Amino acid sequence: MDAKRYELNVQLAQMLKGGVIMDVTNVEQAKIAEEAGAVAVMALERVPADIRRDGGVARMSDPAMIAAIKKAVSVPVMAKARIGHFVEAQILEALKIDYIDESEVLTPADEECHIDKTRFSIPFVCGARNLGEALRRIAEGAAMIRTKGEAGTGNVVEAVRHMRTVNREIRQLVSMPVEEVTGFAKSNGIPYELALKVKELGRLPVVNFAAGGIATPADAALMMQLGCDGVFVGSGIFKSATPAVRARAIVKATAYFNDPAKVLEASMGLGEAMAGLEIAAIPKEQLLAGRGW
Amino acid sequence: MSRAGANPSHSTVGNAIGVLDLQGDVFEHLDHLQRLGIDARPVKQIEDFDGLAGLILPGGESTCLARLLRIFDIEPVIVRKYHEGMKLWGTCAGAILLAGSLTGEAPHLGLIDIEVQRNGFGSQLDSFACEALIPKISSEPVPLTFIRAPKILHAGEGVEVLLRIEDFIAAAESADILVTAFHPELTGCLAFHRYFAAKCGLRPRTEEAAFDPSWNMTSWTRHARVA
């Protein structure tokens, strides 16, 4: 992609700031999400909680299903490709969706390489657990970053860990004399030029959303107060007892994340949240956040 | 809720420009306004509307913004302040919120007589940048950034077309409202913000050229540092 196309892609992500991106698995859910005020929807056949339950290999969703959702809503539509699976990404680009998520929720297709995103015109969002991972993805052409969290658990602890880690590393970089940046970049696997940019800006140069385990309005507001620019909610909405009500509540809490009275209002009477999983209770080989590097 | 309503004869128009801060590219607008030396602030709560000469409804997702305007009862406040003299400018999603009619759906604030088609171009792959001469705004060509932009299809009585491109209207204004389908806040050009400030009766710094050479793609991030 040329530089102007990359700018437009980064700027589309800027339009999503303060918003909630919701996982949907069919047209009906997509319409509920749009009506609730989602800034975009993520079209996929199974939400992460079901992928986790079913096991096996998780791949890109059927393009026919993604196309049906694209037709049904006017908000941007995202879809997931497997890490490193550049042909799935080519298919999604040919489908003319708005954003590709190169996602650890699907089974990686390549354990050594992520997709060279500079070869595409379509924007990419990628997950990151720390600053190095975020900047490696940006160097590869990602226009937007999100925490990995631990998808499909309804447990926000890993998303918090990832956001705090990124913030801590940014603080270290900001307070560091320039001559120490080379060593910091080397030991954290960070591209040097991008390290200098982050040091200057005091944050990532693109938007950084929360993702992975967000299940309540309070979870969303927590991630926003930690400095995220917006929120992805995967299983948290359509695995809850009252999806439409919860979707609206999370939208409210994300917009007014700094206003406890409004987050309180949003938290009232939502019915049951999705069942949660404790991270320590998940067998290590079933953790998703460790996929990619 | 209606503090100003208790004293309707008192004009509450002040000398600040607010940017509606519910969702979208709020920081980008604040950054441009501050470059012109304008008292600019995010507007989120009902009391934030006091003392505004103008309000910018930014880019973002119009369905999300419309829903938040409604559930937090902000719609009537904007309408009231508008009737009290507060000027309005909608960019992209903001223009959709202000439109008197929307193709195939019910309008939201409905304050300017234009018909708008949401997402008029297609997917993100159809987003584009170009430039055009808009004599009323600047003597130099203005860069235009269209991101999943709406098309203004029709402008009614009392609405002046500022820029027409092929089959659609890209910018228009009435006496008190400006609408742009594109995003001047995503470029280094300050001309539209200066024009809106003047429309609000403010006197923005005019010594700068239309383009601020110190602006770049990441200028907005200074409003959202984490360290």
Side-chain angles (χ1 to χ4, degrees):
Chain A
M1 86 182 81
D2 61 25
K4 190 66 217 176
R5 178 57 51 188
Y6 181 69
E7 273 186 24
L8 287 170
N9 289 343
V10 169
Q11 290 176 328
L12 171 64
Q14 286 170 229
M15 292 303 139
L16 305 175
K17 290 200 300 287
V20 182
I21 299 163
M22 303 181 191
D23 276 7
V24 297
T25 60
N26 57 45
V27 167
E28 187 200 348
Q29 289 183 357
K31 285 186 169 161
I32 290 172
E34 182 177 46
E35 175 54 31
V39 290
V41 294
M42 176 77 70
L44 72 177
E45 278 161 340
R46 293 176 293 168
V47 294
D50 290 336
I51 291 174
R52 188 176 285 288
R53 184 199 63 208
D54 296 349
V57 173
R59 311 179 182 89
M60 177 186 77
S61 299
D62 183 340
M65 168 266 175
I66 299 169
I69 286 174
K70 180 172 176 270
K71 206 170 155 208
V73 296
S74 71
V75 296
V77 175
M78 304 183 171
K80 292 182 193 293
R82 282 180 265 180
I83 290 174
H85 205 315
F86 52 87
V87 173
E88 284 187 350
Q90 288 166 6
I91 292 168
L92 293 173
E93 182 173 62
L95 189 58
K96 291 191 112 199
I97 56 162
D98 297 292
Y99 241 93
I100 294 175
D101 182 7
E102 186 181 16
S103 178
E104 70 283 359
V105 166
L106 305 183
T107 310
D110 190 326
E111 293 187 337
E112 274 139 38
C113 304
H114 286 72
I115 296 170
D116 173 10
K117 292 162 275 288
T118 62
R119 282 154 72 173
F120 291 78
S121 293
I122 193 168
F124 280 81
V125 55
C126 291
R129 289 161 298 173
N130 52 53
L131 183 59
E133 197 170 9
L135 295 183
R136 286 191 292 277
R137 297 294 85 78
I138 292 170
E140 290 163 356
M144 175 179 184
I145 296 297
R146 55 170 176 77
T147 62
K148 282 183 168 171
E150 188 58 34
T153 60
N155 187 341
V156 78
V157 67
E158 294 302 308
V160 168
R161 188 191 319 281
H162 300 161
M163 192 58 194
R164 282 203 181 274
T165 303
V166 168
N167 288 351
R168 182 167 53 245
E169 289 166 343
I170 292 173
R171 279 194 301 274
Q172 287 168 358
L173 203 45
V174 166
S175 62
M176 185 178 289
V178 174
E179 64 270 27
E180 290 181 15
V181 173
T182 312
F184 184 82
K186 181 175 180 239
S187 58
N188 289 284
I190 293 174
Y192 180 69
E193 295 302 324
L194 277 171
L196 286 181
K197 186 78 185 166
V198 168
K199 180 172 170 56
E200 174 202 332
L201 300 180
R203 59 158 290 140
L204 294 182
V206 300
V207 300
N208 184 15
F209 273 45
I214 289 133
T216 68
D219 288 348
L222 171 69
M223 295 309 297
M224 293 296 288
Q225 288 197 30
L226 285 173
C228 287
D229 298 307
V231 174
F232 283 86
V233 185
S235 318
I237 289 171
F238 290 100
K239 283 287 166 191
S240 73
T242 51
V245 177
R246 183 165 293 266
R248 284 199 294 272
I250 293 177
V251 168
K252 279 159 76 168
T254 303
Y256 282 90
F257 68 92
N258 256 336
D259 183 338
K262 289 209 163 65
V263 179
L264 162 68
E265 203 183 301
S267 304
M268 298 261 203
L270 297 182
E272 234 173 293
M274 70 178 283
L277 277 176
E278 202 186 329
I279 306 298
I282 305 170
K284 216 163 178 260
E285 66 279 7
Q286 288 176 25
L287 292 173
L288 305 176
R291 294 168 163 184
W293 52 274
Chain B
M1 166 183 126
S2 56
R3 286 198 291 162
N7 185 8
S9 63
H10 175 69
S11 170
T12 53
V13 170
N15 56 10
I17 293 182
V19 183
L20 186 67
D21 181 17
L22 298 177
Q23 188 273 314
D25 69 337
V26 178
F27 298 137
E28 292 81 347
H29 275 294
L30 291 173
D31 190 68
H32 268 45
L33 293 168
Q34 287 171 1
R35 283 166 194 273
L36 292 167
I38 290 163
D39 180 8
R41 62 167 106 118
V43 170
K44 201 154 197 162
Q45 308 285 356
I46 285 165
E47 54 271 24
D48 297 339
F49 284 86
D50 290 344
L52 294 184
L55 177 73
I56 296 176
L57 290 82
E61 197 46 55
S62 60
T63 38
C64 174
L65 288 165
R67 165 155 291 285
L68 290 167
L69 281 179
R70 214 161 44 240
I71 54 183
F72 289 113
D73 253 341
I74 295 170
E75 260 182 12
V77 186
I78 293 178
V79 172
R80 191 182 77 230
K81 290 286 179 181
Y82 167 70
H83 288 304
E84 289 172 6
M86 181 180 77
K87 306 291 191 264
L88 296 167
W89 175 17
T91 59
C92 195
I96 295 170
L97 297 177
L98 291 169
S101 90
L102 295 180
T103 308
E105 54 197 307
H108 303 296
L109 290 162
L111 293 173
I112 179 168
D113 186 6
I114 54 172
E115 184 189 343
V116 172
Q117 179 191 1
R118 281 204 295 151
N119 193 20
F121 295 89
S123 78
Q124 171 62 5
L125 290 166
D126 303 299
S127 292
F128 63 99
C130 61
E131 58 173 37
L133 192 62
I134 312 173
K136 207 165 172 184
I137 304 297
S138 173
S139 56
E140 297 173 57
V142 177
L144 310 170
T145 299
F146 292 86
I147 295 183
R148 286 178 44 90
K151 283 181 174 175
I152 302 171
L153 302 177
H154 173 77
E157 211 173 310
V159 179
E160 181 185 351
V161 173
L162 295 173
L163 175 65
R164 188 184 290 276
I165 302 175
E166 292 163 9
D167 66 334
F168 71 100
I169 297 163
E173 68 172 345
S174 65
D176 302 309
I177 298 180
L178 179 62
V179 285
T180 55
F182 49 87
H183 295 276
E185 75 281 11
L186 296 183
T187 73
C189 178
L190 302 177
F192 261 97
H193 289 77
R194 183 180 287 141
Y195 183 79
F196 181 63
K199 200 175 171 77
C200 295
L202 305 179
R203 269 174 285 172
R205 283 208 298 258
T206 51
E207 64 270 28
E208 287 95 344
F211 288 85
D212 185 337
S214 71
W215 181 90
N216 69 53
M217 274 279 295
T218 56
S219 290
W220 69 273
T221 63
R222 72 190 172 94
H223 299 272
R225 292 175 69 104
V226 296

